[in-house]
Amino acid sequence: MINPTIKETLVDALSSLRYAVQEVVKKALFVMTYINARKVAAKLLDKEDTWGKEGQSPFIVSEKVEETWAKVKEDEYFDWVNEQQWEGIETMTSTFFETLGELLSEQGTYEEWIPV
């Protein structure tokens, strides 16, 4: 018979090991997905040969989002939306994403950003 204390210690250790391996696998999958998504984006943008090379301007997501948002606001299709409505939309979306980030962080499901 196995001593109950030793058995408990072994179960705890194996459980911790399983959790650690699970976290490593999740992060590895996240990195692989991130890298492959960038490869697909480079291919779609026809920048496979230059993307990520020295001397190229960096691709910063927040800047691209800002540029796209500015283009959307300037589009004639949205002439009926006034500045107060744009501010309301911007406030609503930023509040939504801040709240979502806080909820995910509280639940422990928020993925860390892993630089590649």
Side-chain angles (χ1 to χ4, degrees):
M1 274 246 168
I2 296 176
N3 184 338
T5 308
I6 295 174
K7 184 179 178 181
E8 234 177 80
T9 304
L10 282 174
V11 168
D12 287 344
L14 288 174
S15 178
S16 295
L17 178 63
R18 185 204 60 82
Y19 179 76
V21 168
Q22 176 183 337
E23 291 302 307
V24 168
V25 168
K26 279 180 14 182
K27 289 184 184 210
L29 287 173
F30 178 79
V31 168
M32 288 171 33
T33 303
Y34 172 75
I35 290 170
N36 287 324
R38 284 189 51 99
K39 287 179 182 178
V40 168
K43 191 171 194 171
L44 290 173
L45 296 171
D46 208 20
K47 295 187 175 195
E48 291 176 279
D49 298 330
T50 59
W51 199 325
K53 305 290 184 205
E54 289 203 24
Q56 297 294 318
S57 60
F59 182 85
I60 301 172
V61 175
S62 60
E63 286 180 4
K64 298 300 180 188
V65 168
E66 289 294 324
E67 290 172 11
T68 304
W69 183 247
K71 287 179 185 176
V72 167
K73 287 173 71 174
E74 293 169 1
D75 193 327
E76 290 177 15
Y77 182 77
F78 296 105
D79 282 347
W80 55 273
V81 180
N82 66 33
E83 193 59 36
Q84 289 176 328
Q85 291 168 324
W86 283 122
E87 288 175 14
I89 292 169
E90 291 171 352
T91 302
M92 180 185 71
T93 54
S94 67
T95 302
F96 170 78
F97 285 110
E98 286 173 12
T99 304
L100 180 64
E102 289 171 7
L103 289 172
L104 292 175
S105 295
E106 289 173 8
Q107 296 300 316
T109 54
Y110 186 76
E111 280 294 333
E112 292 178 21
W113 184 258
I114 303 171
V116 177

